[in-house]
Every structure is written in structure tokens, then in C-alpha cells.
Amino acid sequence: MHLPLRDSTMLLSGHYLAATGVGLLLSFVSYLLMTASQRKLVYNRVASCFKFSERGHRTSSSKTPPRSVSPEKKPPSNIPPLSEYKDIFPPWRRDALTSAVASPTSAGKDSLLGATIESSNPSFRTGLIPFTADYRTCTAPASTYTPMGIALTEIAALGDFPDYAELSGVPLPAPYPEFKVESALPRPYRPFRWAYHQTMSLTKLETDCWLELERDFAKSIKDRKELFATRGKMMLDYLPGSELACKELMELALQFLCARYPQYFSLSYSNDKGYVFHNGILKNETVVGDMHPLHVLLENVPEDFAVMVRNPEDGYYYLRGGVLCSSLGWTLGSKLGMQLKEIHGPIPDYKEKMEFSMDR
């Protein structure tokens, strides 16, 4: 029996449709059974054949030039001229000098010049401590000033371990006597909890939590000292002119530890040794005057510190010292002596988005 041509054609088309449907069904089931990597491979092969992107749009044939050959963006128009940075100084704290003298002897009080000097005073501007000068060897200490307007004679009157809480206006931390270092865990760090935007990432510091301890305190100190022993100045170094800043940083850190964790740390003074820092976790003591301030920190504080010093010639801040054992992708030795914008040179869009705010 012969079917009419029209009927045979319809039957053949039905067979093709059925076969196509079965094939699509099997393909779909196979796709579901694939692993994620196998699915990605199939997708990439199909995408390369039909030239479409993940959003369903055809891939453009135009090519975007790499960042390095793109026209450089114009700098923000609100960047002040160089001379304005030279005329900008840190906050003035001369009003706290008298009450911050460690042991206000008559000689110490007589060395204080009072709160009459101003940043606009020509003698202050011409008497700024030179960028690379050691404050201990300046020949005219009464007329040589730090950028905060404090004369070097006043620095001497303040003595070692002055009241930095009074000088800075930031109170010492509250004591935490119930703290147990052997069971302390590090605070969770979640820098990308929300959508990421390139900013300076400044957040308000909880002053009680500036330096926190954890149960790996002793091991961290040991590891950091071993790093310094093998890599030296890549981890810890300092340049001329950073002496006063390093001393202040060290004294501030030790004062904090003694105030926050009195059950573990204390400072004592004797005529033969001077100040001695007692570390109850490591069961040792450090004679502060026997080593550079950054080495005192290396021996007792498992934190990284970078010392930025203002250059009076241009008003910008430069990396002049530090102890950095945990930096990622760079070392202290590779950045020491650089200005902020030089340190952050490799960061994409730093110049356009952050340089002005950082320098200011």
C-alpha cells in the first residue's frame, strides 16, 4: 500500500521532530549531570562558536586599549599648590604641655616656653627641625621646633614616657584585668562585608582596642624576630630624622600595654638602668635605653608599625622607619624613604581617586 506523497512527508517530519525532541531531552539531562567545570567548558565552546557573552549580547569586535595606553585623566582641580602643603601643620597641642610634664621639676617648668608661639610666627617656620636631623644633636634646641610647634628644650623637659594621653587628647585605655591571653582569639577581620569601593578605609578607632593580644602572642614575637634575623632591613629599618618619631611611637605603645593589661605588663625606673619594661607573657624584661625604639617594639609587640615623617621643605610625609613583617607584595626595604604617592604608585587609580585625600 502506497501513501500519498503529502501523507508520507508529514510522517517523515513527525519522525524528525520526535528524534529532535529526544535528542534535546537527552542533552538537557546530560547537562544537568555535568559538574560545574564541565558545564563551563561546554558553555565556553558554544560561546566561541556563536560569539556571544555571558549576558547574551554578541561580543564586540572593538578592542579597548589597556590601562597603560589610555589617555591620562586630568588631576582634580581642587589640588592646592605645593606651597600650601608646606604651610599646613599637624594639630597644635601646646596648651597641654605644662600638664603633660612627666615630673614637673622647676628646671622642667622653666624650659617650657608657654603657649605664645604660633605656626604663622617666622621664627617657628625657619626653626623647624631639619628633615634628616637627629633631635638629640641639634645645636639650638630652644629655637628648633617639631611640626606641632614644640621646641626641643620642651621635649627634654617632658622627659621619657610623658603623659601622651594629655598631649594627644586621646585617653589611655580602660584596664582589662579579667583578660586571659592563653584563651584569647583574634578579632574577625571582614574587609569585604559590603560592596567594595576604593577609599582611604578610615574608620573610627576604639581606643581600648588599638593593640590587642591573642593566644599566639609568644609565637608571633618569636616568628617576627626570626624574620628579622634572616631578612634584616627588609623587615626593620630607620632613616636619619626619624629618631624622635620612633621614640614617641615606642613609648606610646608601651604605655598603652601597661594601662590596658596591667596583669601582664609594667614599667619601672632605676638610676642605673633607667626605664625597664616588664613583659609577663614572655617572662622577660627590656631595658628601654639599651636598644633602638623599633627594636623594643620588635621584642615586645607583635604588630607592624610604619613611621611617616613630615618634610618641612614640601609639607609631604615620607616613610622614614618601621617594623613591617606582615606586608603583602612589598617590604619595608623596598619602600623606605618614599613619599606616600610613591609608595602607592602601583595601585590602580590611586592618583585620580586617593592621592589628594591621602596627602591632605
Side-chain angles (χ1 to χ4, degrees), residues 187-199 201 203 328:
R187 182 189 296 235
Y189 179 57
R190 302 185 179 96
F192 301 117
R193 292 176 63 185
W194 300 277
Y196 176 74
H197 301 285
Q198 189 176 19
T199 66
S201 299
T203 57
L328 183 61

Side-chain angles (χ1 to χ4, degrees), residues 47-89:
S48 64
C49 293
F50 293 95
K51 295 184 178 181
F52 61 86
S53 64
E54 292 189 11
R55 293 185 179 180
H57 302 293
R58 292 185 62 84
T59 304
S60 172
S61 59
S62 63
K63 300 295 183 182
T64 302
R67 181 187 300 273
S68 59
V69 298
S70 298
E72 186 175 356
K73 298 178 183 178
K74 293 182 179 180
S77 58
N78 59 345
I79 295 182
L82 184 63
S83 60
E84 289 194 19
Y85 281 122
K86 186 177 179 179
D87 296 335
I88 297 174
F89 298 94

Side-chain angles (χ1 to χ4, degrees), residues 24-308:
L24 290 174
L25 179 61
L26 292 175
S27 299
F28 180 71
V29 172
S30 299
Y31 183 79
L32 292 179
L33 295 176
M34 290 180 182
T35 63
S37 59
Q38 291 173 331
R39 292 179 188 178
K40 187 67 176 179
L41 179 62
V42 171
Y43 176 85
N44 290 338
R45 289 182 177 177
V46 174
S48 64
C49 293
F50 293 95
K51 295 184 178 181
F52 61 86
S53 64
E54 292 189 11
R55 293 185 179 180
H57 302 293
R58 292 185 62 84
T59 304
S60 172
S61 59
S62 63
K63 300 295 183 182
T64 302
R67 181 187 300 273
S68 59
V69 298
S70 298
E72 186 175 356
K73 298 178 183 178
K74 293 182 179 180
S77 58
N78 59 345
I79 295 182
L82 184 63
S83 60
E84 289 194 19
Y85 281 122
K86 186 177 179 179
D87 296 335
I88 297 174
F89 298 94
W92 223 243
R93 293 293 298 171
R94 292 190 55 81
D95 56 335
L97 275 177
T98 303
S99 56
V101 175
S103 298
T105 63
S106 58
K109 290 180 178 179
D110 293 341
S111 298
L112 297 177
L113 303 180
T116 57
I117 193 74
E118 297 292 342
S119 61
S120 58
N121 191 318
S123 62
F124 163 70
R125 292 171 177 259
T126 58
L128 283 171
I129 184 170
F131 187 46
T132 60
D134 186 336
Y135 76 102
R136 297 166 296 186
T137 59
C138 289
T139 56
S143 57
T144 304
Y145 300 91
T146 70
M148 297 182 71
I150 301 177
L152 296 188
T153 49
E154 296 168 327
I155 297 291
L158 289 170
D160 296 328
F161 292 93
D163 187 350
Y164 285 110
E166 184 69 34
L167 283 170
S168 64
V170 179
L172 284 171
Y176 192 4
E178 64 272 21
F179 175 80
K180 304 296 182 184
V181 70
E182 58 271 11
S183 59
L185 297 175
R187 182 189 296 235
Y189 179 57
R190 302 185 179 96
F192 301 117
R193 292 176 63 185
W194 300 277
Y196 176 74
H197 301 285
Q198 189 176 19
T199 66
M200 294 171 63
S201 299
L202 296 179
T203 57
K204 185 177 181 180
L205 174 68
E206 298 178 38
T207 54
D208 286 356
C209 302
W210 176 42
L211 300 176
E212 295 183 298
L213 310 184
E214 58 181 89
R215 61 187 180 186
D216 292 332
F217 180 93
K219 183 179 182 301
S220 297
I221 293 289
K222 179 177 177 292
D223 292 343
R224 290 164 64 86
K225 291 170 67 174
E226 289 177 353
L227 273 175
F228 174 68
T230 56
R231 301 186 182 182
K233 292 186 176 183
M234 294 175 65
M235 304 288 106
L236 187 155
D237 200 5
Y238 42 89
L239 296 177
S242 65
E243 294 84 4
L244 183 56
C246 290
K247 176 179 181 289
E248 178 180 328
L249 171 63
M250 178 271 294
E251 293 179 343
L252 185 61
L254 298 193
Q255 274 189 358
F256 179 95
L257 292 177
C258 293
R260 181 62 171 166
Y261 310 104
Q263 67 273 36
Y264 293 119
F265 307 105
S266 62
L267 273 170
S268 64
Y269 180 84
S270 64
N271 292 330
D272 57 334
K273 291 184 178 180
Y275 280 97
V276 177
F277 180 68
H278 304 272
N279 191 322
I281 301 176
L282 301 179
K283 308 298 182 185
N284 63 15
E285 58 183 40
T286 303
V287 180
V288 174
D290 285 354
M291 61 183 71
H292 189 276
L294 294 182
H295 284 277
V296 176
L297 294 175
L298 178 68
E299 295 282 336
N300 293 281
V301 187
E303 293 282 351
D304 283 356
F305 298 97
V307 179
M308 306 296 297

